[in-house]
Amino acid sequence: MEIILVENISNLGKIGEKVKVKNGYARNFLLPQGKALRFNKENMEFVNKKKDDLNKKNNNLKKEFKTIAEKINNKSLNFFKESKENGDLYGSIKPKEITAAIIKDLKVEKVKPSNLILKKDINKVGSYEVVVTLFADVSAIIKLVVKKIDTK
């Protein structure tokens, strides 16, 4: 499907560009979230007229997310979990739980579970790094420290 981007999207393109994506990606993500419009003559003219406004809006969002990234970058979150003797957790730590901790401990509201990039499952006691991708070119790294709860 051919679409016109209304927002800068990393690994895809910039505002006003015509790109070709899979139908499901366009129908299920880009179009419903307002990140793109179907490619046709009217939409292309609309985007060209609104390009300055869209760029301004995009830059404001980028600034906002940069301040959030600076606020959370290199911060550490502690998780206390029950675990087996060998350090395996009884349940892994999911992005939703990490997001809740970011909101509670770091007082940042705009981070969603879909913004987190986990390189591997967090299912053992130890330290982990999680990449938080907030915007097209804006990301931060958060350190997670998973500790065992003393059950004695």
mmCIF file of all heavy atoms in Angstrom, residues 15-31:
data_model
loop_
_atom_site.group_PDB
_atom_site.id
_atom_site.type_symbol
_atom_site.label_atom_id
_atom_site.label_comp_id
_atom_site.label_asym_id
_atom_site.label_seq_id
_atom_site.Cartn_x
_atom_site.Cartn_y
_atom_site.Cartn_z
ATOM 1 N N ILE A 15 8.280 13.464 6.959
ATOM 2 C CA ILE A 15 6.972 14.049 6.672
ATOM 3 C C ILE A 15 6.843 14.377 5.180
ATOM 4 O O ILE A 15 7.753 14.947 4.580
ATOM 5 C CB ILE A 15 6.763 15.334 7.500
ATOM 6 C CG1 ILE A 15 6.656 15.004 8.975
ATOM 7 C CG2 ILE A 15 5.522 16.087 7.043
ATOM 8 C CD1 ILE A 15 6.604 16.205 9.884
ATOM 9 N N GLY A 16 5.701 14.002 4.603
ATOM 10 C CA GLY A 16 5.411 14.321 3.212
ATOM 11 C C GLY A 16 5.944 13.326 2.204
ATOM 12 O O GLY A 16 5.653 13.430 1.016
ATOM 13 N N GLU A 17 6.708 12.343 2.656
ATOM 14 C CA GLU A 17 7.248 11.357 1.716
ATOM 15 C C GLU A 17 6.203 10.300 1.380
ATOM 16 O O GLU A 17 5.403 9.909 2.219
ATOM 17 C CB GLU A 17 8.476 10.651 2.315
ATOM 18 C CG GLU A 17 9.713 11.487 2.311
ATOM 19 C CD GLU A 17 10.934 10.715 2.802
ATOM 20 O OE1 GLU A 17 10.883 9.474 2.887
ATOM 21 O OE2 GLU A 17 11.933 11.381 3.105
ATOM 22 N N LYS A 18 6.237 9.847 0.147
ATOM 23 C CA LYS A 18 5.375 8.751 -0.295
ATOM 24 C C LYS A 18 6.187 7.464 -0.118
ATOM 25 O O LYS A 18 7.293 7.353 -0.652
ATOM 26 C CB LYS A 18 5.001 8.966 -1.755
ATOM 27 C CG LYS A 18 4.265 7.827 -2.385
ATOM 28 C CD LYS A 18 4.028 8.142 -3.866
ATOM 29 C CE LYS A 18 3.875 6.879 -4.641
ATOM 30 N NZ LYS A 18 3.776 7.117 -6.070
ATOM 31 N N VAL A 19 5.657 6.534 0.664
ATOM 32 C CA VAL A 19 6.364 5.273 0.896
ATOM 33 C C VAL A 19 5.419 4.099 0.673
ATOM 34 O O VAL A 19 4.196 4.241 0.736
ATOM 35 C CB VAL A 19 6.965 5.193 2.321
ATOM 36 C CG1 VAL A 19 8.072 6.195 2.504
ATOM 37 C CG2 VAL A 19 5.907 5.376 3.372
ATOM 38 N N LYS A 20 6.013 2.967 0.426
ATOM 39 C CA LYS A 20 5.239 1.751 0.216
ATOM 40 C C LYS A 20 5.439 0.848 1.440
ATOM 41 O O LYS A 20 6.579 0.585 1.826
ATOM 42 C CB LYS A 20 5.732 1.058 -1.055
ATOM 43 C CG LYS A 20 4.782 0.087 -1.640
ATOM 44 C CD LYS A 20 5.240 -0.347 -3.016
ATOM 45 C CE LYS A 20 4.070 -1.020 -3.694
ATOM 46 N NZ LYS A 20 4.114 -0.891 -5.124
ATOM 47 N N VAL A 21 4.332 0.446 2.064
ATOM 48 C CA VAL A 21 4.393 -0.434 3.233
ATOM 49 C C VAL A 21 3.411 -1.584 3.044
ATOM 50 O O VAL A 21 2.552 -1.544 2.159
ATOM 51 C CB VAL A 21 4.053 0.330 4.539
ATOM 52 C CG1 VAL A 21 5.076 1.400 4.832
ATOM 53 C CG2 VAL A 21 2.670 0.917 4.491
ATOM 54 N N LYS A 22 3.524 -2.575 3.896
ATOM 55 C CA LYS A 22 2.586 -3.692 3.845
ATOM 56 C C LYS A 22 1.206 -3.209 4.269
ATOM 57 O O LYS A 22 1.068 -2.326 5.111
ATOM 58 C CB LYS A 22 3.065 -4.815 4.744
ATOM 59 C CG LYS A 22 4.370 -5.401 4.254
ATOM 60 C CD LYS A 22 4.645 -6.739 4.856
ATOM 61 C CE LYS A 22 5.956 -7.226 4.269
ATOM 62 N NZ LYS A 22 6.028 -8.613 4.096
ATOM 63 N N ASN A 23 0.194 -3.806 3.697
ATOM 64 C CA ASN A 23 -1.188 -3.405 3.959
ATOM 65 C C ASN A 23 -1.534 -3.434 5.446
ATOM 66 O O ASN A 23 -2.146 -2.508 5.958
ATOM 67 C CB ASN A 23 -2.160 -4.299 3.193
ATOM 68 C CG ASN A 23 -2.120 -4.053 1.703
ATOM 69 O OD1 ASN A 23 -1.615 -3.030 1.253
ATOM 70 N ND2 ASN A 23 -2.651 -4.976 0.931
ATOM 71 N N GLY A 24 -1.144 -4.476 6.138
ATOM 72 C CA GLY A 24 -1.473 -4.606 7.564
ATOM 73 C C GLY A 24 -0.830 -3.527 8.406
ATOM 74 O O GLY A 24 -1.447 -2.997 9.331
ATOM 75 N N TYR A 25 0.420 -3.188 8.111
ATOM 76 C CA TYR A 25 1.130 -2.142 8.858
ATOM 77 C C TYR A 25 0.417 -0.806 8.683
ATOM 78 O O TYR A 25 0.227 -0.060 9.642
ATOM 79 C CB TYR A 25 2.581 -2.066 8.367
ATOM 80 C CG TYR A 25 3.468 -1.086 9.096
ATOM 81 C CD1 TYR A 25 3.520 -1.062 10.491
ATOM 82 C CD2 TYR A 25 4.262 -0.187 8.398
ATOM 83 C CE1 TYR A 25 4.343 -0.165 11.161
ATOM 84 C CE2 TYR A 25 5.093 0.705 9.055
ATOM 85 C CZ TYR A 25 5.125 0.708 10.439
ATOM 86 O OH TYR A 25 5.942 1.603 11.095
ATOM 87 N N ALA A 26 -0.014 -0.529 7.462
ATOM 88 C CA ALA A 26 -0.723 0.731 7.201
ATOM 89 C C ALA A 26 -2.095 0.724 7.866
ATOM 90 O O ALA A 26 -2.452 1.663 8.583
ATOM 91 C CB ALA A 26 -0.863 0.947 5.702
ATOM 92 N N ARG A 27 -2.882 -0.331 7.629
ATOM 93 C CA ARG A 27 -4.258 -0.386 8.139
ATOM 94 C C ARG A 27 -4.341 -0.487 9.649
ATOM 95 O O ARG A 27 -5.226 0.081 10.278
ATOM 96 C CB ARG A 27 -4.992 -1.585 7.544
ATOM 97 C CG ARG A 27 -5.648 -1.314 6.227
ATOM 98 C CD ARG A 27 -6.655 -2.389 5.905
ATOM 99 N NE ARG A 27 -6.155 -3.727 6.136
ATOM 100 C CZ ARG A 27 -5.644 -4.518 5.207
ATOM 101 N NH1 ARG A 27 -5.572 -4.120 3.969
ATOM 102 N NH2 ARG A 27 -5.218 -5.718 5.513
ATOM 103 N N ASN A 28 -3.420 -1.243 10.263
ATOM 104 C CA ASN A 28 -3.515 -1.513 11.700
ATOM 105 C C ASN A 28 -2.733 -0.546 12.570
ATOM 106 O O ASN A 28 -3.005 -0.432 13.752
ATOM 107 C CB ASN A 28 -3.054 -2.946 12.007
ATOM 108 C CG ASN A 28 -3.908 -3.981 11.314
ATOM 109 O OD1 ASN A 28 -5.110 -3.776 11.150
ATOM 110 N ND2 ASN A 28 -3.291 -5.069 10.895
ATOM 111 N N PHE A 29 -1.738 0.138 12.005
ATOM 112 C CA PHE A 29 -0.902 1.011 12.835
ATOM 113 C C PHE A 29 -0.824 2.444 12.322
ATOM 114 O O PHE A 29 -1.226 3.375 13.014
ATOM 115 C CB PHE A 29 0.511 0.417 12.977
ATOM 116 C CG PHE A 29 1.430 1.252 13.812
ATOM 117 C CD1 PHE A 29 1.236 1.362 15.180
ATOM 118 C CD2 PHE A 29 2.471 1.953 13.240
ATOM 119 C CE1 PHE A 29 2.064 2.153 15.959
ATOM 120 C CE2 PHE A 29 3.316 2.736 14.010
ATOM 121 C CZ PHE A 29 3.107 2.833 15.372
ATOM 122 N N LEU A 30 -0.302 2.632 11.126
ATOM 123 C CA LEU A 30 -0.031 3.986 10.635
ATOM 124 C C LEU A 30 -1.291 4.828 10.437
ATOM 125 O O LEU A 30 -1.350 5.967 10.884
ATOM 126 C CB LEU A 30 0.764 3.918 9.329
ATOM 127 C CG LEU A 30 2.168 3.320 9.435
ATOM 128 C CD1 LEU A 30 2.781 3.161 8.056
ATOM 129 C CD2 LEU A 30 3.056 4.177 10.313
ATOM 130 N N LEU A 31 -2.286 4.287 9.769
ATOM 131 C CA LEU A 31 -3.503 5.053 9.499
ATOM 132 C C LEU A 31 -4.320 5.331 10.759
ATOM 133 O O LEU A 31 -4.699 6.475 11.001
ATOM 134 C CB LEU A 31 -4.348 4.359 8.423
ATOM 135 C CG LEU A 31 -3.680 4.263 7.038
ATOM 136 C CD1 LEU A 31 -4.509 3.411 6.096
ATOM 137 C CD2 LEU A 31 -3.422 5.623 6.450
#
